[in-house]
């Protein structure tokens, strides 16, 4: 690289008037210290914050049912997975469905005899982001001052065409960048539905189809996956502490419910007995083993594994306690 050439070009752009220099807007640490910012706004507490969220999972697992549950709960101002939802206008673009299928899904999942909310806007067609789609999302947000949520189902239906000059990471990051800016500028949540790859991974977030450019561009990533024990929703984000929730889908109501932490729901009989003893106020291995009618050695080893895995906490002097569940208020 010829640094002299680059320096000469930069010097040629600099004028005698500093106000004409196209420098980025800067702030000092001192000025930042004096600023006050509102707290993070949650559409669904401890589940869906403002910003861009990527919701990924395998086909036919129920992502669209969960997305519709989010859309309806926020538009109606009721609840989602047992958590209060902040009411506002919602735009749900179901781009792999049609109006007949949408009506059928709402008839199955909406509360009986309920009047469906006017604040829930639906569409089954939308241009790609680089063909006017991003501008149309921005226009809808501008036209609805109380807009809170936009859902795009799925990313593949709106993402721009790949450029041969970009790496996969660059293309994936660029595909979500405009949505990220819109979500944060308008202080709303945009949820983008995506798929995971067939191969499993030790970290569920590594299963998102594509490169890490997608999860890197998103503020929050939610992974809906089927384990040997049951369905789990994994969450991780800039404002969302890493979390795991065991979910259950009711085919009668076509709604998901939050069962609690997977360790509480899917644990072995020994672990369930230990958690019951801890809930009852027992703290040391002897008390816990006696309460749960457990072998002492098995109980002590399981307690140690549970503490190492973060399921429970050590309280000192051979004592243990349950970790607080952030979803329980």
């Amino acid at each position: 690289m010829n640094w002299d050439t680059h320096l000469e070009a930069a010097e040629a752009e600099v004028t005698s008037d500093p106000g004409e220099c196209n420098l980025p807007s800067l702030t000092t640490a001192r000025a930042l210290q004096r600023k006050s910012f509102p707290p993070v706004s949650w559409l669904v507490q401890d589940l869906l914050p403002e910003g861009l969220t990527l919701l990924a999972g395998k086909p036919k697992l129920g992502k669209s049912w969960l997305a519709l549950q989010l859309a309806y709960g926020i538009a109606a101002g009721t609840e989602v997975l047992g958590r209060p939802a902040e009411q506002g206008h919602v735009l749900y673009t179901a781009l792999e469905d049609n109006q007949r299928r949408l009506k059928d899904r709402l008839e199955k999942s909406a509360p009986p005899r309920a009047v469906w909310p006017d604040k829930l806007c639906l569409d089954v067609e939308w241009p790609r982001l680089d063909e006017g789609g991003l501008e149309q999302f921005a226009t809808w947000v501008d036209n609805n001052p109380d807009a809170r949520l936009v859902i795009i189902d799925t990313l593949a239906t709106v993402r721009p065409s790949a450029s041969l000059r970009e790496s996969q990471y660059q293309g994936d990051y660029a595909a979500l960048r405009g949505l990220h800016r819109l979500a944060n500028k308008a202080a709303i949540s945009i949820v983008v539905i995506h798929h995971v790859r067939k191969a499993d991974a030790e970290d569920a977030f590594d299963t998102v189809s594509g490169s890490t450019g997608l999860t890197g561009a998103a503020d929050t990533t939610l992974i809906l996956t089927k384990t040997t024990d049951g369905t789990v929703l994994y969450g991780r984000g800039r404002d969302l502490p890493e979390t795991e929730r065991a979910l259950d889908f009711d085919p009668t109501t076509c709604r998901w419910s939050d069962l609690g932490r997977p360790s509480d729901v899917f644990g072995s009989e020994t672990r369930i007995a230990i958690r019951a003893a801890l809930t009852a106020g027992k703290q040391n291995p002897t008390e816990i083993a006696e309460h749960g009618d457990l072998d002492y050695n098995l109980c002590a080893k399981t307690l140690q594994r549970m503490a190492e895995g973060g399921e429970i906490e050590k309280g000192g002097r051979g004592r243990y306690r349950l970790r607080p569940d952030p979803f329980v208020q």
Side-chain angles (χ1 to χ4, degrees):
M1 179 179 292
N2 189 335
W3 290 105
D4 290 337
T5 302
H6 285 279
L7 287 171
E8 290 173 1
E11 290 172 355
E13 295 178 0
V14 176
T15 67
S16 57
D17 183 0
E20 296 183 13
C21 295
N22 295 321
L23 290 174
S25 178
L26 303 175
T27 189
T28 66
R30 179 61 175 153
L32 188 61
Q33 184 183 28
R34 293 170 177 166
K35 284 187 176 182
S36 296
F37 298 97
V40 175
S41 178
W42 294 87
L43 280 76
V44 180
Q45 188 64 37
D46 298 325
L47 180 67
L48 185 63
E50 289 181 1
L52 178 64
T53 294
L54 189 68
L55 171 57
K58 291 184 178 180
K60 313 304 180 186
L61 188 56
K63 300 186 301 297
S64 293
W65 285 111
L66 180 56
L68 187 59
Q69 192 169 336
L70 278 167
Y72 191 99
I74 292 169
T78 53
E79 56 80 29
V80 178
L81 297 179
R83 312 295 289 179
E86 180 183 338
Q87 188 175 25
H89 261 88
V90 176
L91 173 59
Y92 180 24
T93 56
L95 306 179
E96 293 183 343
D97 287 314
N98 53 46
Q99 288 192 356
R100 178 195 59 78
R101 190 176 297 120
L102 275 178
K103 182 178 180 181
D104 181 64
R105 290 189 173 190
L106 280 167
E107 287 176 338
K108 291 178 179 178
S109 61
R113 296 179 297 279
V115 177
W116 298 349
D118 282 331
K119 290 182 180 291
L120 176 52
C121 304
L122 305 159
D123 207 335
V124 295
E125 294 182 1
W126 206 268
R128 292 187 177 274
L129 297 175
D130 59 340
E131 297 175 357
L134 184 60
E135 289 77 7
Q136 288 193 19
F137 282 127
T139 299
W140 180 85
V141 172
D142 289 340
N143 291 341
N144 295 278
D146 68 335
R148 299 302 294 128
L149 174 64
V150 172
I151 298 178
I152 301 172
D153 191 358
T154 62
L155 173 61
T157 59
V158 298
R159 73 173 294 162
S161 302
S163 171
L164 296 177
R165 293 176 295 180
E166 294 179 329
S167 66
Q168 184 178 8
Y169 179 93
Q170 291 172 323
D172 286 343
Y173 193 90
L176 294 181
R177 187 59 181 163
L179 292 171
H180 180 269
R181 285 197 297 266
L182 173 60
N184 285 276
K185 180 181 179 181
I188 65 170
S189 178
I190 297 180
V191 175
V192 180
I193 312 298
H194 191 45
H195 299 300
V196 296
R197 52 187 172 83
K198 293 182 178 179
D200 293 327
E202 184 175 344
D203 186 341
F205 298 93
D206 291 336
T207 64
V208 175
S209 181
S211 73
T212 54
L214 293 177
T215 52
D219 296 300
T220 303
T221 302
L222 301 173
I223 307 292
L224 187 66
T225 187
K226 193 88 169 178
T227 71
T228 55
D229 295 313
T231 305
V232 177
L233 180 68
Y234 296 95
R236 180 187 293 170
R238 297 185 176 103
D239 297 308
L240 176 69
E242 188 160 341
T243 186
E244 302 176 6
R245 309 303 297 178
L247 300 188
D248 179 65
F249 185 76
D250 186 339
T252 303
T253 62
C254 295
R255 293 175 63 83
W256 289 98
S257 57
D258 183 353
L259 303 180
R261 292 181 295 194
S263 59
D264 297 344
V265 179
F266 304 137
S268 66
E269 292 184 4
T270 300
R271 293 182 182 230
I272 291 174
I274 287 174
R275 300 189 72 86
L278 291 170
T279 302
K282 310 304 178 183
Q283 296 183 350
N284 63 57
T286 301
E287 294 175 343
I288 295 169
E290 290 178 353
H291 184 278
D293 194 22
L294 301 171
D295 176 79
Y296 175 83
N297 290 329
L298 174 61
C299 179
K301 290 180 180 178
T302 305
L303 281 165
Q304 184 175 356
R305 294 192 191 101
M306 292 173 72
E308 291 172 351
E311 294 181 45
I312 60 176
E313 297 176 339
K314 278 191 173 183
R317 296 185 179 181
R319 296 181 178 273
Y320 296 87
R321 60 173 177 255
L322 291 171
R323 292 176 61 89
D325 186 346
F327 272 63
V328 175
Q329 296 180 333

